[in-house]
Amino acid sequence: MAEEKHFWQRFAPKQYEKTLMDVDLQFLQEQGIRGIIFDLDNTITPWNEPHIPQEVINWFTALRKMGFHACLLSNNGGERVQKAADLLQIEFVCNARKPFKKGYARAMEVLQTKPNETAVIGDQLFTDMWGGNRWGMYTILLEPMAPKEYWFTTNFSRRLEKVAKRKLGLPLEKGIKER
Ligand SMILES: [Mg+2]
C-alpha cells in the first residue's frame, strides 16, 4: 500500500486551483518563486483555440508587474505557442516533450531560475505536474479550461488521470464523463 502511494505521488501537484486567476502570486513570491513555467492548452487558452480570455491577459500583466519571469512550455510546435507568448509578452519553449526533463531545463535557462525558484502551472498530471515534480519545482494543477481535446487525451490520458486524481484525493472536473 505504501509503495502504491509512492507511485502516484510523482504526479501530485503541490497545490490545486480552479483557474489561473485563483493562483495567489503574492504567496508564490513569499515562497521564493521568481519564475513560472506555463502550459498553454487548457491552462491559458481553451484547447486548440487562438483566443485568450481578457481576464487571463490582465492576470499576466499583474504577474509581469510583480517582477515574475514567465515562459510557456508546450508540447505543441511553433506558431500558436509563439502567438500566445507574444500576446502575453512572455517567453516560450515549444516541442517541449513534457514530462521529459529537457524542456524544463530549456525553460529554466530562459527564466534564469533554479528549480527551487520555479513554479509550474498546468492542467495535466502526466505531463505538466510529473515533469515539474521531477525537477523538484513547485507544481500547481488547474482545472482544464475546456473538455474538448485530442481523441487520445480524452479517451486514454484523461481516464488514467481520473484514476490518479482519485488516488491522490484531488477534485474531479466536470468535463470528464463517468464510464
Ligand atoms: Mg494542457
Side-chain angles (χ1 to χ4, degrees):
M1 213 46 189
E3 232 168 66
E4 196 197 336
K5 181 132 188 4
H6 176 78
F7 171 80
W8 294 104
Q9 214 54 40
R10 73 195 67 197
F11 309 117
K14 303 267 189 312
Q15 192 181 322
Y16 173 86
E17 300 295 345
K18 228 172 151 56
T19 76
L20 211 48
M21 280 62 66
D22 296 316
V23 175
D24 185 348
L25 291 170
Q26 187 85 47
F27 172 80
L28 291 183
Q29 209 152 49
E30 285 162 14
Q31 308 308 305
I33 302 296
R34 299 194 304 112
I36 309 178
I37 293 173
F38 289 92
D39 172 48
L40 179 61
D41 284 308
N42 274 334
T43 296
I44 284 171
T45 181
W47 185 75
N48 215 14
E49 274 189 37
H51 177 71
I52 299 178
Q54 187 59 46
E55 57 180 353
V56 171
I57 296 172
N58 296 345
W59 187 86
F60 270 91
T61 306
L63 169 140
R64 283 187 284 105
K65 278 192 183 148
M66 287 178 75
F68 281 103
H69 293 208
C71 181
L72 290 180
L73 183 67
S74 176
N75 283 352
N76 287 332
E79 209 184 348
R80 262 186 68 249
V81 185
Q82 181 170 9
K83 269 191 186 157
D86 286 349
L87 184 64
L88 299 169
Q89 299 177 49
I90 61 173
E91 306 289 333
F92 73 97
V93 170
C94 54
N95 300 314
R97 300 181 68 219
K98 293 178 281 187
F100 290 104
K101 289 179 83 176
K102 207 173 175 184
Y104 293 80
R106 279 162 64 203
M108 278 190 287
E109 266 173 47
V110 169
L111 295 170
Q112 298 185 304
T113 54
K114 297 187 179 75
N116 65 353
E117 302 168 321
T118 312
V120 177
I121 301 182
D123 73 300
Q124 288 197 54
L125 294 176
F126 303 138
T127 52
D128 308 313
M129 299 300 107
W130 190 16
N133 287 340
R134 292 174 86 178
W135 277 104
M137 293 169 177
Y138 189 83
T139 45
I140 303 173
L141 181 73
L142 302 183
E143 188 167 301
M145 284 173 111
K148 196 179 79 179
E149 290 173 304
Y150 287 113
W151 179 89
F152 180 80
T153 311
T154 312
N155 288 280
F156 183 73
S157 309
R158 287 292 184 197
R159 276 193 184 141
L160 200 57
E161 188 166 70
K162 202 170 139 181
V163 173
K165 282 187 170 176
R166 279 228 175 84
K167 297 273 182 198
L168 295 166
L170 289 163
L172 300 171
E173 61 275 356
K174 290 172 261 56
I176 313 297
K177 286 194 199 90
E178 290 285 340
R179 283 194 89 171

